[in-house]
């Protein structure tokens, strides 16, 4: 009995936090199903009759163009980070050489650096490379800033693999390249998932580089596109709410499908650094 | 064949010499092989690390150096007309009141983040281990703010804070607290707090995840032993959970401080530093100077200062953490 009673404050706290975190999200989704007239009348009440009109209008807009840009940039960046960081981690984790420790530290420091410190040179560099205002301007900095965390995660996993793997492979005359890609890399799958998810969340929502390195609407990623919508249709609040909802949907879906992996990824990406 | 014949005819000392010679040869061979192996290994190291080093070096290491270099010039960034002015930009910066406001706001954000995000995150994480039913559902909702795009959050909260039809003012109106209503983002006094509250809302779930991962790692038998000793929940939290969470708390504090010092997105979307620079952060001020006013040299000196400040603050935390560890 006492135990049951003790739980009441816990429930109160849990529900209070639920409202705190959930209500803004809830009203965003609910407003997206309203007509503009209904929103004017009672902006924050539940919609009386659900209308998909706002979503239908999004299909006619540039929304999916922004969406596609985000998909292309994120996928390219994440795949490249996995390949580059995993390769760089192999000597760092499993070979002894003079610069091993300093090089690892050099990468580690990257996690502390405010990206804004690099913004101006990267802007000029991108211009000089002729990539300014194309979506190809973005993977470079995204990959570079994702490398430190990814290397930390990969080296940790690699160090845990048994030494015998290499020895027996070398006995059979297997070179480093094949050893890494054929034997070690497949064993890294959990680390790859962690790195992929952690970086995907960051890159999908990235804003500053996209803001500075692109200019035209046709090269905007989703975060920029949402801001574009806000600028153009700020009177049509339900329409914007529909865009915000749809823009947040991919990560929420990924989260619902791979909750544990995401949680692990974030914890590994930060705690161990 | 010849060598064999010589060996047959010569006396013992010479035989020894010959043996020495062969062992020298094999030594040399081993050395040669070793150095070949070493060289081979060096190629492997370079080959595996070069791509990552190249892109990291170009976009991060080189860029930081260049930021410092640009900060020594008066330069619009558009033309080639760079005038070397030494540390003049930094001298201007010191007497620039907007920069001080922005730095003050950054440290306000640091304090608010430490005092709200970390405790909130910890409470949420502890709740996830409580006997409350349906915690899976609770956890999913708790986590959502972190997954939403910052731009989406910014726009959403612009409407929530709106002076006319905003949710907050509506609720205050319903409660009969009309005098508390504000145009939250439009007034200098309230804008910074409204923005900081939004940042805290967004990031508390992130710390929930970090703490949850750390709590999972605490061995169950510690709690069982405490149960046998008759410890209550508070005692268990105080004597087991909290001390074992300390490394995670320090990491979280570092992440929170660094994150707050370089914060940009939400402020840019919600207020763009306004009204009247009251919500300006170092990063938004740097953006404004560089890409709106085209003072690329001055903007560089702001961003390099951000780097120095973040560096110093991190160094201080790590120093005290090392001392704390040493004291234990």
């Amino acid at each position: 009995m006492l135990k049951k009673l003790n739980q009441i404050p816990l429930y109160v706290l849990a529900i209070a936090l639920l409202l705190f975190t959930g209500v803004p999200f809830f009203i965003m989704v609910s407003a997206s199903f309203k007509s503009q007239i209904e929103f004017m009348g009672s902006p924050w009440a539940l919609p009386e009759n659900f209308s998909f009109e706002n979503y239908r209008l999004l299909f006619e807009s540039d929304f999916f163009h922004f969406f596609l840009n985000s998909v292309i940039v994120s996928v390219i960046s994440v795949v490249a980070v996995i390949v580059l960081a995993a390769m760089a981690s192999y000597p760092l984790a499993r070979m002894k050489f003079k610069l091993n420790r300093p090089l690892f530290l050099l990468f580690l420091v990257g996690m502390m650096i405010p990206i804004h410190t690099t913004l101006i040179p990267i802007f000029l560099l991108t211009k000089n490379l002729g990539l300014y205002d194309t979506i190809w301007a973005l993977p470079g900095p995204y990959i570079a800033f994702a490398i430190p965390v990814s290397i930390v995660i990969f080296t940790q996993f690699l160090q845990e693999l048994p030494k015998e793997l290499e020895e027996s492979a070398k006995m059979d005359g297997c070179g480093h390249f094949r050893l890494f890609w054929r034997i070690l890399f497949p064993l890294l799958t959990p680390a790859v998932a962690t790195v992929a998810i952690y970086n995907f969340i960051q890159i999908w929502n990235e804003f500053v580089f996209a803001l500075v390195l692109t200019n035209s609407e046709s090269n905007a990623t989703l975060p920029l596109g949402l801001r574009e919508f806000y600028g153009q249709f700020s009177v049509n609040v339900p329409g914007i709410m529909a865009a915000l909802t749809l823009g947040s949907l991919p990560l929420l879906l990924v989260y619902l499908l791979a909750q544990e992996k995401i949680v692990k990824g974030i914890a590994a990406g930060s705690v161990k650094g | 064949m010849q060598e064999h014949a010589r060996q047959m005819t010569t006396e013992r000392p010479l035989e020894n010499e010959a043996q020495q010679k062969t062992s020298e040869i094999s030594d040399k061979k081993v050395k040669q092989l070793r150095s070949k192996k070493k060289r081979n290994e060096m190629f492997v190291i370079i080959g595996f690390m070069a791509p990552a080093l190249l892109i990291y070096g170009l976009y991060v290491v080189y860029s930081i150096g260049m930021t410092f270099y640009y900060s020594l010039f008066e330069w619009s960034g558009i033309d080639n007309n760079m005038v070397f002015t030494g540390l003049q930009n930094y001298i201007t910066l010191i007497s620039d009141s907007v920069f001080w406001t922005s730095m003050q706001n950054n440290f306000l954000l640091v304090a608010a983040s430490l005092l709200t995000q970390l405790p909130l995150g910890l409470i949420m994480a502890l709740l996830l281990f409580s006997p409350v039913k349906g915690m899976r559902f609770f956890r999913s909702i708790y986590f959502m703010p972190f997954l939403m795009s910052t731009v989406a959050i910014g726009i959403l909260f612009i409407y929530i804070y709106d002076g006319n039809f905003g949710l907050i003012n509506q609720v205050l109106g319903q409660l009969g607290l009309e005098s508390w209503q504000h145009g939250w983002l439009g007034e200098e006094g309230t804008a910074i707090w409204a923005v900081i509250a939004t940042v805290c809302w967004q990031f508390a779930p992130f710390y929930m995840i970090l703490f949850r991962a750390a709590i999972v790692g605490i061995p169950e038998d510690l709690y069982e032993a405490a149960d046998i000793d008759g410890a209550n929940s508070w005692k268990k939290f105080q004597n087991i959970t909290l001390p074992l969470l300390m490394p995670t708390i320090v990491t979280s504090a570092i992440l929170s401080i660094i994150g707050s010092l370089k914060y940009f997105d939400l402020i840019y979307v919600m207020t763009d530093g306004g009204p009247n620079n009251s919500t300006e952060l170092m990063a938004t001020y740097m953006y404004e100077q560089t890409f709106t006013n085209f003072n690329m040299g001055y903007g560089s000196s702001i961003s390099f200062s951000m780097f120095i400040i973040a560096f110093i603050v991190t160094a201080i935390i790590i120093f005290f953490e090392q001392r704390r560890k040493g004291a234990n």
Side-chain angles (χ1 to χ4, degrees), chain B residues 6-180:
Chain B
R6 203 164 14 138
Q7 246 180 34
M8 293 286 277
T9 51
T10 48
E11 286 161 23
R12 272 183 186 274
L14 270 175
E15 203 180 315
N16 267 344
E17 202 177 273
Q19 247 174 15
Q20 221 168 11
K21 215 171 190 173
T22 48
S23 81
E24 246 170 50
I25 289 168
S26 68
D27 252 10
K28 219 174 174 182
K29 253 197 179 151
V30 168
K31 257 187 199 158
Q32 247 174 9
L33 266 173
R34 261 200 204 133
S35 77
K36 199 179 164 194
K37 205 186 145 206
K38 237 187 179 162
R39 227 184 22 226
N40 184 21
E41 209 153 71
M42 209 177 73
F43 279 127
V44 171
I45 292 166
I46 293 172
F48 273 81
M49 295 194 66
L53 262 177
L54 206 72
I55 196 160
Y56 179 76
L58 185 67
Y59 281 100
V60 182
V61 182
Y62 163 84
S63 290
I64 290 172
M66 286 314 276
T67 294
F68 179 67
Y69 175 73
Y70 294 143
S71 77
L72 303 175
F73 292 86
E74 170 107 43
W75 184 33
S76 71
I78 310 168
D79 49 32
N80 289 325
N81 186 17
M82 290 173 87
V83 183
F84 181 81
T85 55
L87 295 177
Q88 187 54 48
N89 281 328
Y90 293 91
I91 295 166
T92 314
L93 201 61
I94 288 172
S95 52
D96 182 344
S97 69
V98 179
F99 178 68
W100 287 107
T101 311
S102 68
M103 200 162 117
Q104 204 185 324
N105 284 337
N106 269 115
F107 279 100
L108 203 63
L109 186 61
V110 168
S113 303
L114 289 177
L115 293 175
T116 59
Q117 290 173 15
L118 265 58
L120 263 178
L122 183 57
I123 291 170
M124 287 184 197
L126 288 170
L127 268 176
L128 298 182
F129 293 92
S130 73
V132 171
K133 285 204 181 84
M135 225 44 229
R136 242 185 110 78
F137 169 72
F138 280 93
R139 188 183 66 190
S140 304
I141 305 289
Y142 287 172
F143 192 58
M144 275 183 180
F146 183 69
L147 287 176
M148 275 177 73
S149 138
T150 309
V151 177
I153 291 174
I155 296 171
L156 176 60
F157 274 83
I158 289 174
Y159 291 119
I160 290 177
Y161 286 129
D162 189 276
N164 299 317
F165 63 84
L167 178 69
I168 296 193
N169 279 355
Q170 293 246 329
V171 170
L172 287 173
Q174 296 281 325
L175 295 172
L177 297 167
E178 277 87 358
S179 61
W180 290 20

Side-chain angles (χ1 to χ4, degrees), chain A residues 11 14 20-21 44 95 106 110 112-113 116-117 120-121 176 205 208 227 234 240 251 255 259-260 263, chain B residues 41 44 56 63-64 67 133 139-140 142-143 147 149 159 165 167 201 212 258 262 264-265 268 296 303:
Chain A
Y11 271 100
F20 174 71
T21 48
W44 309 106
M95 289 166 117
L106 179 73
M112 303 282 174
I113 288 164
H116 303 91
T117 303
I120 295 169
H176 282 281
N205 285 334
V208 191
R227 204 169 133 266
S234 57
I240 292 166
L251 282 189
Y255 176 64
Q259 271 198 33
E260 279 313 308
V263 166
Chain B
E41 209 153 71
V44 171
Y56 179 76
S63 290
I64 290 172
T67 294
K133 285 204 181 84
R139 188 183 66 190
S140 304
Y142 287 172
F143 192 58
L147 287 176
S149 138
Y159 291 119
F165 63 84
L167 178 69
W201 180 82
R212 178 178 174 268
I258 296 193
K262 64 181 183 194
F264 176 82
D265 302 10
Y268 180 78
M296 207 153 271
S303 51

